[in-house]
Amino acid sequence: AQRVTQPEKLLSVFKGAPVELKCNYSYSGSPELFWYVQYSRQRLQLLLRHISRESIKGFTADLNKGETSFHLKKPFAQEEDSAMYYCALSQGAQKLVFGQGTRLTINP
Amino acid sequence: EAEVAQSPRYKITEKSQAVAFWCDPISGHATLYWYRQILGQGPELLVQFQDESVVDDSQLPKDRFSAERLKGVDSTLKIQPAELGDSAMYLCASSISFSSGEQYFGPGTRLTVT
C-alpha cells in the first residue's frame, strides 16, 4: 500500500540554522512527490513538487528513489518558516496521500 | 485571487443528527476533492470528482456519507447520521484538471459531534 511517513511530529530549530524535514514513502510505481505547507490561520498550499526541481522560499527537496525519501531542506531557517509541513505522494489520477505532518518552529 | 470557498466554517452537531458541508471550487476547476483531517494527522481523501462524476470514493463510508456535484461546479458532502468519531476538519480542494497535480484547498469546516 502507498504510504508517506514523516517521522518527526515536531521540529524546533534556531533562526539561521539549517532545516531538514524528513519524508519517506512506499510506492510501487513512479511516484510524484509534493510538499504542502500550512501557515498559521492560512490554508493548506503547495510549497513545491519534485518534478519542478525548483527552490521555493529557499526550500529544496530531492527525490531519492534508492532511499525512497523526499526530504525538505533549507540552509538558513527564518522565523516566517514556522508552519505545519506535509509531505504528499501522488498516485494515479493525482490522488494525494499525505503524511501526518511536521510542525516546524523557528526560534528567534 | 480566486479561492476555494467552504461553508460553514464551524459546525457543532449532536450524534445521530444530519450535517452537510458545501464547497465552491475555483471557477474552471474540473476536479474537486473532499478530504477529512483528524487532529494530528494528514488529510485523507474521501471522494474525488471529475466534473459531475465520482472518480474515487473508495475511502468514503458510504453507509453514512454521501457526496454530490450535480452540475459539475459546487459540491455538498453529507453525513447522516453523525457519529462521535466524525469530529474532524473537512477540507475541500480543487484542481484545474485531472492531471494537474496542484490542488488548491479551502479553509475547511471544523465539525464537532457531541
Side-chain angles (χ1 to χ4, degrees):
Chain A
Q2 291 78 14
R3 181 174 296 178
V4 176
T5 302
Q6 295 179 249
E8 303 140 327
K9 278 201 158 184
L10 303 171
L11 183 63
S12 182
V13 302
F14 286 102
K15 177 182 173 182
V19 173
E20 183 178 45
L21 290 86
K22 291 184 169 53
C23 172
N24 291 91
Y25 67 90
S26 61
Y27 184 56
S28 56
S30 295
E32 187 169 358
L33 276 296
F34 303 81
W35 277 98
Y36 276 77
V37 62
Q38 188 166 24
Y39 301 102
S40 179
R41 296 189 178 87
Q42 294 188 27
R43 301 157 185 238
L44 192 60
Q45 59 186 286
L46 178 67
L47 179 63
L48 55 80
R49 66 181 80 182
H50 89 272
I51 59 171
S52 61
R53 301 186 64 83
E54 58 188 345
S55 172
I56 304 293
K57 299 185 178 182
F59 284 98
T60 59
D62 291 319
L63 178 61
N64 186 323
K65 292 186 178 181
E67 296 184 358
T68 60
S69 68
F70 188 57
H71 303 329
L72 183 68
K73 300 177 183 179
K74 185 171 183 176
F76 307 103
Q78 299 172 290
E79 288 186 63
E80 54 264 35
D81 296 329
S82 293
M84 195 75 187
Y85 291 81
Y86 294 95
C87 183
L89 167 70
S90 175
Q91 306 181 76
Q94 299 305 321
K95 172 180 174 177
L96 285 177
V97 176
F98 286 87
Q100 68 174 10
T102 297
R103 181 170 297 283
L104 176 64
T105 301
I106 308 301
N107 300 305
Chain B
E1 184 177 329
E3 293 184 324
V4 175
Q6 288 188 248
S7 66
R9 294 293 305 277
Y10 305 91
K11 180 71 177 178
I12 300 174
T13 191
E14 294 182 348
K15 64 180 180 179
S16 79
Q17 295 299 303
V19 64
F21 314 129
W22 177 78
C23 172
D24 192 13
I26 293 173
S27 178
H29 280 197
T31 312
L32 184 147
Y33 313 81
W34 282 102
Y35 290 88
R36 176 172 59 187
Q37 185 174 21
I38 296 169
L39 192 62
Q41 299 182 20
E44 177 189 26
L45 182 70
L46 290 175
V47 61
Q48 176 182 344
F49 289 91
Q50 178 66 22
D51 299 311
E52 67 276 6
S53 301
V54 173
V55 174
D56 186 340
D57 63 357
S58 58
Q59 300 302 310
L60 189 71
K62 298 181 188 65
D63 57 334
R64 298 185 299 107
F65 286 64
S66 64
E68 61 183 15
R69 192 184 185 199
L70 292 177
K71 296 184 179 179
V73 181
D74 58 339
S75 176
T76 302
L77 178 69
K78 297 178 181 178
I79 308 175
Q80 164 76 45
E83 295 181 353
L84 295 177
D86 296 331
S87 294
M89 177 73 84
Y90 290 83
L91 295 167
C92 179
S94 68
S95 63
I96 195 163
S97 72
F98 201 60
S99 59
S100 75
E102 180 172 2
Q103 296 183 18
Y104 296 82
F105 283 81
T109 297
R110 168 80 62 191
L111 173 66
T112 301
V113 182
T114 62

